[in-house]
Amino acid sequence: MEKARYFELIDVVNKLRSLITSHHDSILKAEDHAVLLEALSPYSDIETVQVFLSDCDRCVGGAFDFTDTRDFTFSKKERLVLSFFKAPYNAAYGLDAFVYEIEEPEAFFREKFATSKATSINILKCTEGFDQYPTCVALFPENFCSAQSFADGFSVFYFVNVFERRFQEYGKPTLDSFVHKNSFWRLKRLSKKFRAKAFATWHYLHEHFHSTGDLPIVDYLKIKSTRSSAAIEESKVDALSILECLKSADEGFQDGLMYAELILFERLIRYSIHENPNENYDAKSSYLLFGFLQQAGVLSVDNLVLNFDRKAIRQALQEYVRAIEQIEREIRQVLDQSPTQDYKKIRAGLSLFAKTHVSQGLELKNEYFENVRATIEGR
């Protein structure tokens, strides 16, 4: 019954989207406020709606501030999201909503890393703003129209259903035709159900490792805000996640090997097939990691079929992480001595690292990825 009312509410919000114009200038007009009250008051028994309407009452005639709505959403008290949203990569955002269910990560890692801020979800029904494939893959606190910073520092909803769709459209065809039979063989056998859990586990580990090291991303986002530095960060935390999965297998948790394969495949291959590295830092991170691993002798491509040395991958990833952590350690030492710095100058070590290995990746595998992408997209 609860879910049915949530679904009904999504239909109402979808209709409201064409009537509300306040999101264009982020000021809640009195006439839009009246429309929202009339349409949503019948659902005021739902706490998400109560909090949203309370925020509307507070900011009518002034700038959007849905801080309470945002904070209530990330409390996950209800499996419903409703607010005004914004993002430079999603022009369709405005008044939007969705209903979701949580996809739990592997308990082995959830118990070990209890502080991860990632919540993986499947969207069951949504309004147009959240139905923007492939760009809309997650919801962050900064996507809410809010005047105040998020008290918990960071949190995120990852949309597992979008990751699964990208896997079906780009990942599976690549595994079937462009990856050696001895590479990623566990991933090729995963069921959709287990793969959903694997995506959630990846997200969980990914966000945990974002908060570790000398330059945790929440505290040093300005250092890691360029496409190259972001690519290094994304590939580093996934390398750490893979190593943690391999370590868990050493400790007797054999499913760790399957999780390691999914994370490696997504970071190393799928992103760079699906996105443009000159526009997307996740794709650039694939080129970066590929260039490093190829130089280490771990990867090879023969007749558009990729293969990697499974025995050597762990040492190569450890070396990759050590190289990045050394650069970050040096940056932290400089910042500790003098917090006010020229960020371009202080990023020099990261920029050089990215330039070195991305250029190798571009040179060595551009033909491979262009051909794979063209084949999959039917060009």
Side-chain angles (χ1 to χ4, degrees), residues 54-86:
S54 178
D55 274 346
C56 287
D57 292 342
R58 190 177 64 254
C59 63
V60 63
F64 279 177
D65 185 7
F66 292 90
T67 298
D68 290 347
T69 300
R70 177 200 62 198
D71 294 351
F72 181 78
T73 296
F74 284 104
S75 75
K76 294 171 281 190
K77 188 174 180 180
E78 292 180 338
R79 302 294 184 256
L80 174 67
V81 175
L82 166 66
S83 191
F84 282 96
F85 299 93
K86 61 182 179 180

